[in-house]
Amino acid sequence: MRPDRKATPVAVAVFVLQTAGSGVAVYGIPVYIAAFLRSGTVSAAELSLASTGFFVVGALTGPLFARLGQRRPNLVMLGAVLGGTAAITAMAVRPTGTVVIVAFATLGAIFSGGLVVVGTIVLVRVFDGRPTAGMALATSGSSAGGILVSPVLALLLTTQAAIARSFLVVAAGFLVISCGALALGSWATARSAPARTPTAAAGTARLLPHWPLVVAFGLVSASQLGATSYIVATGLSRDFTGARLAVSAATGAAVASRWIGSAGIRRLGLHRWTVASFCAQAVGVALVGVAPSGWVLFLGALLIGQSLGITILIRSQVIVELFGIDDFARKFAQFQTWTSLGSATGPLLLGQVYSATGDYVPAYLLLFLLNAVAVPFLLPWMRTSRPRSWRTDEEPRRSDRSPV
């Protein structure tokens, strides 16, 4: 039996955790903002501050969660689930500006640090860093929340008059589903220790010498988050029918890209696939910016979505290639911090340019330039790193120590 099949329950558990987490956090934030604005309980300025705090706190807490999650990842993820449940419950019990700001920051920390960083650490150890179907399934949860969870949140918070009751339902559902996934993951890792191959670090133990690579991912993250944040507004400003459908197309492409990308990395190599994905996103950003018709906007959204989905998977493989599995946790968290700061600046930058010019074309042109500049920053990594073998038919040696 192939080793990754034994780890399938772990992949399913992380998929459910990240789906629930992304649904109530990343994709839930716009739903919460709309509900609070409609009820008038929280001002727009406070909500704007809360949204910024969500991204910034999520970026900065990654290294802390990585340090805590190296020994007891399931326990750390349980703490993250309880923290997220408490944050959502607090917005139900006392929906004031201060509480919402703290709750949004908490959700940013538990998702980016507790579920994405720690969850990815578990996956890389279990699957030995290989771009398998299990890795693709699990990491697609960070996008699947936009398809499976956020519509339910929107239904609850727009059809019920009592917002507090709706938030309590969301908190209870998140707690039950996430705890069930954690129980599955704990059972799977305790039942058998997944096989892994001891790996040595492929490069220097410091992240600083690879700063061009970090800059490249930061620029790409800024471009993709800035572009997706304003896709609907861009389409509506040009009277394109189905502009909202473009966001769904981008989210669907983000989920599918994990599956396509895992196979593409094994066949074309990590370097080629990374460059191709980043270039495709640059084309997508340009298409959305100039979109003369609805179908062009739709095509651009698909190209942006594929990069939005594959970036996390690519990032994991890059860290494994450069530093090996043993040092993965710390380096991935550091990488995540810097690229998340790029994600936070993208929407802010696009909004400021649009406010100054009154047109989305120059705003998206700026994002396109950021994306295009990122590609040359990949060259030092492509020239110096040693490609890792992704053969899936190799039987790794067993280890007596559980990686989880």
Side-chain angles (χ1 to χ4, degrees):
M1 180 181 293
R2 288 176 57 186
D4 54 305
R5 290 183 180 177
K6 294 184 178 181
T8 297
V10 180
V12 172
V14 174
F15 168 78
V16 173
L17 282 169
Q18 293 195 2
T19 298
S22 65
V24 301
V26 179
Y27 297 101
I29 294 300
V31 180
Y32 304 154
I33 290 175
F36 285 127
L37 287 176
R38 188 174 60 256
S39 66
T41 55
V42 184
S43 69
E46 290 171 325
L47 290 171
S48 176
L49 178 61
S51 300
T52 302
F54 173 86
F55 287 104
V56 173
V57 172
L60 297 178
T61 53
L64 174 62
F65 275 98
R67 191 176 301 114
L68 296 174
Q70 289 191 69
R71 292 185 178 273
R72 294 289 186 271
N74 290 328
L75 185 61
V76 173
M77 287 190 286
L78 175 61
V81 169
L82 295 178
T85 303
I88 300 171
T89 303
M91 292 190 289
V93 176
R94 191 173 179 82
T96 62
T98 302
V99 171
V100 170
I101 291 172
V102 174
F104 275 32
T106 303
L107 289 174
I110 68 104
F111 176 68
S112 296
L115 299 183
V116 172
V117 171
V118 179
T120 306
I121 291 171
V122 170
L123 291 172
V124 167
R125 290 177 178 177
V126 167
F127 290 100
D128 194 30
R130 293 172 293 126
T132 63
M135 284 282 289
L137 167 67
T139 57
S140 64
S142 58
S143 296
I147 300 174
L148 302 177
V149 179
S150 62
V152 178
L153 299 185
L155 182 64
L156 284 171
L157 293 171
T158 56
T159 59
Q160 293 189 17
I163 293 181
R165 187 186 309 164
S166 300
F167 272 114
L168 289 176
V169 172
V170 172
F174 174 68
L175 179 63
V176 171
I177 294 172
S178 299
C179 286
L182 282 171
L184 173 63
S186 299
W187 167 81
T189 53
R191 185 167 176 262
S192 62
R196 61 175 293 201
T197 304
T199 56
T204 177
R206 298 180 61 197
L207 185 63
L208 183 60
H210 302 286
W211 67 265
L213 184 62
V214 178
V215 170
F217 275 85
L219 292 174
V220 167
S221 297
S223 179
Q224 66 187 200
L225 266 295
T228 52
S229 298
Y230 285 83
I231 284 179
V232 174
T234 303
L236 294 178
S237 69
R238 298 169 185 174
D239 297 323
F240 291 160
T241 303
R244 289 184 175 85
L245 185 60
V247 176
S248 300
T251 305
V255 174
S257 66
R258 260 89 165 194
W259 297 87
I260 300 172
S262 63
I265 291 172
R266 292 195 299 268
R267 287 166 173 77
L268 296 182
L270 180 60
H271 297 169
R272 294 177 183 175
W273 194 265
T274 301
V275 172
S277 177
F278 286 4
C279 289
Q281 177 181 289
V283 174
V285 171
L287 290 177
V288 172
V290 302
S293 59
W295 72 268
V296 176
L297 180 78
F298 191 84
L299 177 59
L302 287 174
L303 292 175
I304 296 171
Q306 63 79 29
S307 181
L308 182 64
I310 196 64
T311 299
I312 292 180
L313 185 59
I314 289 176
R315 194 182 306 159
S316 302
Q317 311 308 324
V318 168
I319 297 299
V320 170
E321 180 187 279
L322 291 175
F323 303 101
I325 294 177
D326 292 335
D327 201 26
F328 176 83
R330 187 161 56 96
K331 293 301 185 296
F332 180 79
Q334 294 172 0
F335 217 95
Q336 178 85 351
T337 295
W338 290 110
T339 55
S340 294
L341 292 175
S343 301
T345 59
L348 176 64
L349 188 63
L350 190 146
Q352 293 298 319
V353 174
Y354 175 75
S355 298
T357 62
D359 191 358
Y360 282 110
V361 174
Y364 273 88
L365 177 60
L366 177 60
L367 294 182
F368 166 77
L369 291 176
L370 291 179
N371 203 144
V373 168
V375 176
F377 276 98
L378 295 173
L379 295 178
W381 163 63
M382 296 176 67
R383 291 170 179 169
T384 60
S385 60
R386 294 183 299 176
R388 187 179 185 220
S389 173
W390 301 116
R391 287 181 57 192
T392 57
D393 57 346
E394 293 177 348
E395 284 293 333
R397 290 176 293 177
R398 293 193 174 277
S399 172
D400 294 330
R401 178 171 58 90
S402 170
V404 183

